[in-house]
Amino acid sequence: MEDEEGGIKETLLNKRYYENCPGCKVDLHKAGQRGLPIKELFTVWAVVLGTALPISSLFPFLYFMIRDFHIAKREEDIGSYAGYVGSAYMLGRALTSVFWGIVADRYGRKPVIIIGTFTVVVFNTLFGLSINFWMAVITRFLLGSLNGLLGPIKAYAAEIFREEYQALGMSTISTAWGIGLIIGPALGGFLAQPAEKYPAIFSKDSIFGRFPYFLPCLCISLFSLVVAIGSFWLPETLHIHDSEMPPQDSYKTLEAASDAKEESESNPKENLFKNWPLMSSIIIYCIFALHDMAYSEIFSLWAVSPRKFGGLSYSTADVGEVLSFSGFGLLVFQLFLYPLVAKYFGPIITARVAGVLSILLLASYPYIAMLSGITLSVVINFASMMKNALSISIITGLFILQNNAVDQRQRGAANGLAMTGMSFFKALGPAGGGALFSWAQKRLDASFLPGNQVVFFVLNVIEAIGLLLTFKPFLVERQNR
C-alpha cells in the first residue's frame, strides 16, 4: 500500500501540472483515484443515452406518421418518404460534426455536450408536434445539425478515465448508444398514438390525441432536459495551458513547461487525412454505420408492413416489445459477456466474428416471416437481440481504434471527422433502406431474390464489405509511440 501511495506521489510530482488548467485537474484526480469510476461511467452513459434515444425513436411510428401526412400517393411509397425523414437527422449531423469537433478542441468538451443535450430538448419536442412532412424533415435536420456531442463525448471518455478503464469507457458509450437505439424505438412503439391505445388515460381531444406522436418525443425530451441540467457540473477534460505558472511551482515545473513547449513545436499537429490508422478505422466504421442504420429502418418497416408484402403485420406496440427485449439482452451482453470476449480475443477479432455471425443471422430473416404465433415471437425476439449485440461488438472495437490513433490535441477533431463520415453514411441508410424496402414490395413475384429476400441480401453485402476491410493491409493499428 505504501509503495502504491509513493508511486502516486511520484507521478504527481513528475506531472506537468498547470494550476488553472481543467485538464490537469482531471489528471490529478485520476492519479489519486482508486476503484471503478462509477460516477464517471454513469455520467457518460446518461449523456450518450440522451443523444441516442431520439435518433431511432421514430422508426416504429414513422410509417403511420407518413400515412397521416397524406403525402404518399400509394401505400408502397410510404417507405420512401419515411426514409427521407429518417435521413434528415444524419444529413444535418454530417454537415456539422467536424465543426463541433473543432469547437470541442478549442473551447472544451463540456460546452458542446451542454449545447447538444439542450438541442434534443427543443427540436425533438418540435418533431413530435409536426403537422406535415416538411416540418418533420426540417426539425430532424436541425436536431442533427446542432447536436454534435457524440464525437466530443468519445474524446471525453478517453480523457476522463484512467488508462486501465478506457476500454470500459468506450464500451459504456457503445452500450448506451445501442440501448438508446433500442429503447428509443420501444418508447416510440409503446407511447405513439396513446389516444387509440389507452383511451381511458388520453382523450382524443387532448394534445396527445391531436398530436398522436408527441408523447414519446416529450418523454425523451424530458430525460434530455435532466441530462442537460446535470451537464453543467461535468468536469472539463481539455488541457488549456496559459502562460501563468502556479506560485508553488519552481525550477522543476519551469523546466517541464519548457520541455512541453519544445515537444509541441517539434511535434506539430499531423494531417488527420494522412493518419491511416485513423482513416482506415473511420472508413470501416462508416460502412458498418450504414448497415446498422439501414437495418434499423428496414426492421421496423418490415415488422409493421402487412403479411401480403412479406412483413409481420406487427403493431407499434409489438415492435416496442421486441426492441425492449433486445435492449435488456444487449445490456446483459455488454456488462457481462463482451468485456470477457474482447479481453481474450481483442476488439478486432471480436468484430470479425460478430460480422460473420451477423451475416448468417440476417440470411434467416425472410424465413422468419413465414412463422406465426408464439414461435414467431420467440424467434424474432432472439434474432433481434443477437443482431444488436453483434453490431455493438463491432462498433465498440472501432471506437477504441479511432481514439488510440490520435493524440489528445486532435481527438475532438478526429472524432468529429468520424462523425461526419458516419453521419453521411447513416443519412444514406434510412433513405436507401426505405427506397430498397419499397422497391422490394413491388417485386414479390421476382424469380431471383423475391420480395424482402433482396433487402436482407443487400444488407449482407454491405456487412461483408465491412468485414473484409477489417483485415490487413487495409486496417492498420497505431503503434505506441
Side-chain angles (χ1 to χ4, degrees):
M1 182 65 70
E2 292 180 359
D3 292 340
E4 183 180 352
E5 290 179 355
I8 292 175
K9 290 179 180 178
E10 184 178 355
T11 300
L12 295 179
L13 288 173
N14 293 331
K15 184 71 179 179
R16 294 167 182 168
Y17 170 61
Y18 292 76
E19 186 178 24
N20 297 320
C21 172
C24 289
K25 292 179 181 178
V26 169
D27 287 345
L28 282 170
H29 174 72
K30 289 192 297 183
Q33 189 180 51
R34 296 174 184 166
L36 194 66
I38 299 295
K39 179 181 177 182
E40 289 79 4
L41 288 171
F42 177 77
T43 299
V44 171
W45 184 85
V47 170
V48 176
L49 181 62
T51 300
L53 284 173
I55 291 179
S56 57
S57 60
L58 73 165
F59 287 149
F61 61 77
L62 187 55
Y63 185 93
F64 304 100
M65 176 184 263
I66 297 299
R67 182 196 63 186
D68 293 348
F69 287 154
H70 303 293
I71 192 169
K73 297 180 180 179
R74 298 180 301 173
E75 188 176 9
E76 294 90 332
D77 296 330
I78 291 178
S80 296
Y81 286 99
Y84 299 144
V85 176
S87 296
Y89 176 94
M90 292 300 169
L91 179 60
R93 194 166 72 178
L95 296 176
T96 60
S97 289
V98 171
F99 167 77
W100 289 116
I102 295 173
V103 170
D105 279 344
R106 178 171 296 182
Y107 300 105
R109 296 24 170 148
K110 183 176 174 179
V112 178
I113 292 173
I114 293 174
I115 293 172
T117 49
F118 272 111
T119 296
V120 173
V121 176
V122 175
F123 291 102
N124 187 61
T125 303
L126 291 176
F127 172 73
L129 296 171
S130 296
I131 57 177
N132 56 51
F133 172 76
W134 290 110
M135 180 177 177
V137 170
I138 292 172
T139 52
R140 291 290 293 183
F141 176 81
L142 292 175
L143 176 61
S145 299
L146 300 177
N147 181 12
L149 68 80
L150 187 57
I153 196 64
K154 289 195 290 182
Y156 186 85
E159 296 157 2
I160 197 68
F161 299 111
R162 291 167 62 106
E163 185 176 354
E164 61 265 32
Y165 295 120
Q166 284 185 3
L168 181 60
M170 291 300 169
S171 179
T172 300
I173 290 178
S174 57
T175 300
W177 184 255
I179 290 176
L181 296 184
I182 292 171
I183 294 180
L187 290 173
F190 284 122
L191 300 181
Q193 302 168 319
E196 297 180 16
K197 296 176 183 174
Y198 318 108
I201 303 175
F202 300 97
S203 168
K204 289 186 177 181
D205 297 326
S206 67
I207 187 172
F208 301 110
R210 289 183 286 118
F211 299 96
Y213 312 105
F214 176 53
L215 182 59
C217 296
L218 177 63
C219 291
I220 292 171
S221 296
L222 290 176
F223 175 79
S224 295
L225 178 61
V226 174
V227 174
I229 295 173
S231 297
F232 283 98
W233 284 271
L234 289 178
E236 178 59 67
T237 60
L238 184 67
H239 284 270
I240 304 174
H241 298 164
D242 52 32
S243 58
E244 296 183 3
M245 293 294 162
Q248 68 269 28
D249 281 2
S250 56
Y251 175 76
K252 188 173 183 179
T253 305
L254 186 62
E255 184 180 24
S258 178
D259 292 342
K261 183 177 180 180
E262 292 178 4
E263 182 182 353
S264 176
E265 292 175 353
S266 61
N267 295 297
K269 291 184 178 180
E270 62 181 327
N271 188 329
L272 293 179
F273 292 99
K274 295 181 180 179
N275 183 339
W276 186 245
L278 173 66
M279 295 306 300
S280 61
S281 62
I282 288 178
I283 292 171
I284 300 171
Y285 179 45
C286 289
I287 293 174
F288 282 112
L290 168 64
H291 173 276
D292 290 348
M293 202 66 183
Y295 168 80
S296 297
E297 171 87 3
I298 288 170
F299 179 83
S300 295
L301 292 174
W302 173 63
V304 301
S305 63
R307 283 276 186 175
K308 64 181 180 179
F309 293 129
L312 304 182
S313 292
Y314 271 17
S315 66
T316 56
D318 294 329
V319 176
E321 290 177 4
V322 173
L323 297 177
S324 297
F325 181 81
S326 299
F328 176 76
L330 181 62
L331 179 62
V332 173
F333 172 78
Q334 280 292 102
L335 290 179
F336 300 106
L337 295 180
Y338 177 78
L340 297 176
V341 174
K343 182 178 181 181
Y344 186 78
F345 294 104
I348 297 180
I349 298 297
T350 302
R352 290 171 184 166
V353 173
V356 172
L357 294 177
S358 182
I359 290 174
L360 297 175
L361 182 64
L362 277 182
S364 69
Y365 270 46
Y367 304 100
I368 292 177
M370 300 178 183
L371 303 175
S372 60
I374 189 65
T375 304
L376 172 61
S377 179
V378 171
V379 172
I380 195 62
N381 275 280
F382 177 78
S384 178
M385 180 185 67
M386 285 294 299
K387 179 65 182 72
N388 286 288
L390 294 172
S391 295
I392 289 300
S393 298
I394 297 170
I395 294 299
T396 301
L398 294 173
F399 277 177
I400 296 172
L401 292 178
Q402 288 169 23
N403 281 277
N404 288 343
V406 292
D407 298 320
Q408 194 207 37
R409 294 177 300 161
Q410 295 181 286
R411 198 166 281 150
N415 280 289
L417 181 62
M419 287 302 100
T420 295
M422 180 269 285
S423 300
F424 176 74
F425 276 79
K426 279 198 171 185
L428 297 177
L436 176 63
F437 186 80
S438 293
W439 175 66
Q441 290 189 336
K442 299 172 185 176
R443 57 186 305 277
L444 299 176
D445 299 324
S447 56
F448 178 71
L449 297 174
N452 289 326
Q453 289 188 26
V454 71
V455 174
F456 295 107
F457 174 78
V458 172
L459 286 177
N460 271 341
V461 169
I462 298 172
E463 184 91 356
I465 293 172
L467 176 62
L468 290 174
L469 294 181
T470 62
F471 292 89
K472 293 181 179 180
F474 189 84
L475 180 61
V476 178
E477 291 187 75
R478 180 188 181 185
Q479 300 299 318
N480 292 329
R481 297 178 181 177

